[in-house]
Amino acid sequence: MVTPYRVSYWSIESVWIFYVLAALAVAVFVFGVISHVSVWSRGARRQGIGFSGQGIFNLFLDGLLGRRIFSGDVAAGTMHLLILWGFLGLFAGTVLISADYWVYHFLKGPVYIGYSICLEFFGLMLAIGLVWALIRRYLQRVTRLERRIEDLIVPVWLLVVVLSGFLVEGVRLSAQRPEWGGWSFIGHVISLFWSDPRGALSIYPYVWWSHAILSLGLVAAIPFCKLFHVLAAPLSIYMEDRPDLPMPAETVTGDEEVFSSRQMIFFDACTRCGRCVEVCPSAGAGEPFSPREFIAAVREDLLLRHHPLKGLDWFSRWSDPRKAEKPDLDPQKVWHCTTCRACLEVCPVYVATPKVIERARSRVVEDGTQVPLLLSQTLEKLYKYNNPWEASKKNRAKWSQDLEISDLTKTGEEDPLCYFVGCTTALDTRAQDLARSFARILKHAGVPFGTLGKNEPCCGDIARRVGEDGLFEEQMESCLALFGRNNIRRVVTSSPHCFHTFRNEYPTFQALRPPDEKVHFDVRHYTQVIGELVSEGSIRFEKRLNIKVTYHDPCYLGRHNRVYDEPRKVIRSIPGIELVEMSHNRANSLCCGGGGGRMWQQDLDSKIKMSEIRIREAAETGAEIVITACPLCLIMLEDARKTASLEDTLRVMDLNELVVMALGLRSEGGE
Amino acid sequence: MGEIYVVAEHRKGEVREITFEMLFKARELCRTFSHRLTALLLAGKDAGFADDLAKRADRVLVFENDRLETFNSDLHKEILNRVIQKDQPFMTWIAHTSWGMDLAPALSVKTGLPLATDCVDIQAEDGRPIVIRQIYSGKLFSRVSFKESPGYLMTVRSGAFLPPDDAEMEPGEVLKQDIPADLAEPRKTFVEFVDTGAGEIDITQADLLVSIGRGIGEEENIATIRELADRMGATLSCSRPVVDKNWLPKFHQVGTSGKSVRPKVYLALGISGAFQHVAGITGAGTVIAVNKDRKAPIFRVADYGVADDLFKVANALKEKLAGA
Amino acid sequence: MDVIVCVKQVPEVIDADLKISREGTGIEKEDLVMHINDWDNYAVEEAVCIKETQGGTVTAITIGDDESEDVLRRALAMGADKAIRIDPGERELDGFVISKILAKVIKDLEYHLVLTGVQADDDNSGMVGIMLAETLGLSHAAVVTGVEPEGDLARIRVELEGGMDEVSRIQLPSLLTIQTGINEPRYVSIMGIRKAGKKELTVIPVANLGLSEDDLTPRTRIEEVFLPPETTGAEMIEGDAASVAAELIKIIKEKGVSI
Ligand SMILES: Cc1cc2nc3c(=O)[nH]c(=O)nc-3n(C[C@H](O)[C@H](O)[C@H](O)COP(=O)(O)OP(=O)(O)OC[C@H]3O[C@@H](n4cnc5c(N)ncnc54)[C@H](O)[C@@H]3O)c2cc1C
Ligand code: SF4
Ligand code: SF4
């Protein structure tokens, strides 16, 4: 028996042409990659790609095993795995056969048989995956998938490459008729088509060359189509774990990019899978915004502006009209996002749209001419009066008038617990009840605490969210200085927004400082504090409340900071209460529409408001009360309840109000 | 105290109301101190306003010329300067209007006479004028005196002095004056008037706003209130839920995500007084609230309150106005 | 086209409780937030817009203490090229004196257009701009809501009372007092203000200007300021609908609205 093997370039003449074509394809590929990399290198505050264990781990889970693609869509996950592994397998096969040809001839005998079988399998997987992908997109018409021309060409091209590969093999087997041919089971089946080896032989070169050219073309095309994600996505996934280095507002100059290199890699990693669109509350409410389009527009804009060829005449002839159109980089589009983080939660390649949006906003804010009026008035108020609501500082402590709460700026206590009320809670007449309730609860539990009274500043959340980083830095400085002056190291906030800003933004912004200039303090959200009081028994619910409630996860408490259980635990510890979940809860909770500065935007709502969608979902659970844990959610949902004409059937309460009710403490709000 | 000269303002063939207001107040002062009241009219040929003015002043000095058909600060300033230099009136009053604001300060520099603008009251004490003005957006009043001078200039706020219907008197004399021959060509030339009043309603400009909230209940009920507003000569505005429901277009909305308004009177019907709404009416002169809920927060910010059904009150108002 | 724009820092009073100062002729300013006079903000924006479309420079001028440099820095951040602050020291100023001081400084500058706000939201007198024009011998217009330069002329729009605008042509150089709403003033970011710190800002003490004592003597004097009558909470009007309606009509009429 002859040892099984394969002769490379069997019966192919002028092999040099192949080499020339291959070199050409590789050159185009390399050029394409370089243009992307050169755009990335324009990003602000470049970050090195150092070693990251978490990165490797994510790469393994999200890359090789497609964790995020599977979650929520097993079909998509399986399909993608078939394609990915099929592709990787064939790629490995190509590498091996090249090694076999150039380096050391080892693909012979049983090894070769094994090799052949594996390749057949990989090819089959890839083919099945691709057909499945096409079915999902064109027959099943999965809603989040688009049907643009590229979406058709890329998989079909790949499929043709795979199928033509099988054909090449079939024809070769038919012409050669080796005795081991049966192992290549698909090729073998195809080979049976020709009864006469000479017939097969005569068409073999044509088939071979077609396959070769299609394959090389595909290689060359990778950096220019969505296939580029095979390079960018792993990079993006690997880098996910790294925190954003702060970009001090000073660094944002006119010509410098506001986006970081890392974000630019994210843009290239996006495959337009549409998962973000599916979960985006803004897109969901029918607003003219979609994270996918936004990312695509930013990506195209960056590519056109920083392309290595941009100096060339013909390039600008091609790019200028495209730049002029730029429909989705409209400055007005940056305000829709509520920075709810739902998209980042599901994006398989960790595209951080909310962060990108904040950067894009900073550009609009620095330019100044296109800032929406209400927002610019709000920012003025923030600057002058340290709150987004009132042109005055005097009412900040009004909510506590009859409550006798100590003012930490006056008492000079050692290590006090500082209740940071926050602008909206302190000033909005509806939200004030949250503060009064929380104060009562702390008093009831015997927890000593104080507030900053009239001197409480804004934490900077709004400024940061809308891209006014200079203002954010000033507000952070004044907050830190105030905390420092009054020995405040323990803070509890009403608002998840203040909580998030203190917990995540302050440390990142302080990261650039020398250690001895950093101000550390411990911050908790009130739900955590009440949760603790309930656990340790300082709060005990005795009264039965026979009501059915549902809980709305505020984005900045849940998704951004992973506090899902404490509020639920507190609710459940009230005897008699029944807690039902809405269809969107915890990590896939639906935004009320109030975050990310949206509260101070007008005319962005579409026919139906985000808050209305959410309140209807709450109503569907049959609950009598929606509990939330954020002043903005409280206002938005309260408002939506009226708009949706649910006033008689559904109430909106803050968790504090519920606790006060369950404890039988006096409360004036919540109806 | 001596003679008062009042500069008449007219536009498109009509004397502006402010002119009569100034003449009314000036006559009151002139009567007290028994001095002559002179109206100054700079107008196009045969404008025919002189007689109207003569009914309210002791005499009218008329400068007629085609170039004076519409206001021109250069020409007005030149002519008035010569009149003032020649006659040396004790006070010269000009309307505090866009034109008056363009004229009076320049005239003050030209004549060297001190000026006080936007006066809501004018008195004379010890032979010198004293005026009352509003400052800080009307949050405070000030009493202003002048440096000793042969004459004084002031511009007068419209609506500050309201003449009764029978303000006319024995007609004074009308004296045609010659236009100085050596008047320089004005540096500004009139092109056209453009009417901006048409089009969408601007609730920020209204003196009286009738504002409806969710208490209106149903879209059909808006017609009732619109009728009331029309009868009162008021502009209709609303709270956000009314806009959210598409019952009224967005430009009617008052509040943080709508408009800040500053009417003299704001009549809130069925509005609870949510913070975002109330923030838009801090500039209102007087707030009157009608709400059936006696505990509604709107009553905390309102000057007057009616705790009753808004339709009952609206209908009663309509009847009263129809009867009047 | 070179534009000079005069700006002023004023206390923001919209939602503030004003307290009358001890002398009784002014207000306590300690607790008040100072900001650029609203009208001046529009004037600066207009100046910058003109520069952006026509080329040229923008110079911002204010009279005030060193704190009032804030408004100049803001103007610089909006796009002005240089700024001048005239320090009046302890001098008492009125509109007349201010216009004389400004005229003395502006006289020696290059310009085609001088813009001021219609009035300042402190004394609300609205006379500085036009007095300045007359002193400099410039053509002028007040309450302007539109400016389109046309060579040696400018086509301007003046807002009259009662929903009417007057369009006219005015010879340059000219002084226009700018009305709110003429444009949408851009947002000025904190960063922008910090960066504007690098631009040129000259300070001139009034004493160095060599103005005569007569020019520096105010023509008017505030003898006294006083509060309008206080209002507290809602006065509830009770009774049957008809009497309530009669009462309401009376109140509305009392407040100067004719119905
Ligand atoms: C970000 C944000 C921005 C907002 N911006 C604005 C804004 O700019 N402007 C604005 O107005 N709101 C705004 N809101 C909404 C605001 O919070 C309130 O929901 C809204 O102002 C309430 O409107 P309302 O008073 O008409 O309705 P409600 O609060 O429902 O009040 C209706 C009132 O009518 C009374 N009433 C009912 N029937 C009668 C009757 N027959 N006779 C007499 N009285 C009756 C009731 O007692 C009640 O007090 C905003 C909300 C958010 C969250
Ligand atoms: S951003 Fe992420 S979730 Fe959205 S389309 Fe791109 S890859 Fe998919
Ligand atoms: S953060 Fe939320 S609102 Fe913003 S794009 Fe993502 S899903 Fe949409």
Side-chain angles (χ1 to χ4, degrees), chain A residues 276 279-282 289 291 336-344 353-354:
Chain A
C276 53
V279 297
C280 175
S282 166
F289 170 79
H336 284 275
C337 171
T338 66
T339 67
C340 75
R341 205 178 189 272
C343 52
L344 175 51
T353 310

Side-chain angles (χ1 to χ4, degrees), chain B residues 188-201:
Chain B
K188 189 168 67 178
T189 49
F190 172 80
V191 177
E192 60 174 339
F193 287 120
V194 181
D195 200 340
T196 57
E200 287 185 359
I201 307 165

Side-chain angles (χ1 to χ4, degrees), chain A residues 389 428 598-601 632 635-636 638-639 642 647, chain B residues 212-217 238-242 244 250 253-259 269-278 290-293 296-298 308-311:
Chain A
W389 292 110
D428 182 277
R598 261 306 281 270
M599 194 73 145
W600 296 276
Q601 288 290 346
L632 300 188
I635 300 176
M636 294 308 280
E638 186 75 76
D639 191 55
K642 294 180 186 165
E647 283 146 298
Chain B
I212 52 176
R214 206 193 318 255
I216 193 78
C238 65
S239 71
R240 190 158 104 164
V242 177
D244 284 344
K250 176 91 184 168
Q253 185 191 321
V254 174
T256 53
S257 56
K259 291 192 172 127
L269 305 175
I271 294 178
S272 64
F275 170 74
Q276 288 86 1
H277 183 82
V278 173
V290 181
N291 193 310
K292 63 181 181 190
D293 174 9
I298 186 87
D308 204 347
D309 182 80
L310 74 91
F311 298 105

Side-chain angles (χ1 to χ4, degrees), chain A residues 249-250 252 365-366 368-369 371 376 379-380 383-385 391 394 468 470-471 473-474, chain C residues 12 14-17 33-35 45 74 185-195:
Chain A
E250 271 89 350
V252 186
V365 165
E366 291 308 321
T369 53
V371 180
S376 83
L379 288 170
E380 294 265 331
Y383 176 61
K384 290 179 191 160
Y385 303 102
K394 60 177 191 276
E468 181 24 320
L471 182 57
E473 282 176 30
E474 282 202 358
Chain C
E12 189 166 275
I14 298 173
D15 282 332
D17 291 329
V33 171
M34 302 298 283
H35 72 158
E45 176 68 31
R74 202 172 179 287
R186 64 197 66 196
Y187 177 71
V188 186
S189 75
I190 303 302
M191 226 39 257
I193 293 177
R194 272 192 236 161
K195 281 184 198 146

Side-chain angles (χ1 to χ4, degrees), chain A residues 270-276 292 295 347-349 351:
Chain A
C270 171
T271 56
R272 304 186 64 90
C273 72
R275 283 159 195 263
C276 53
R292 171 170 62 190
I295 295 295
C347 175
V349 295
V351 173

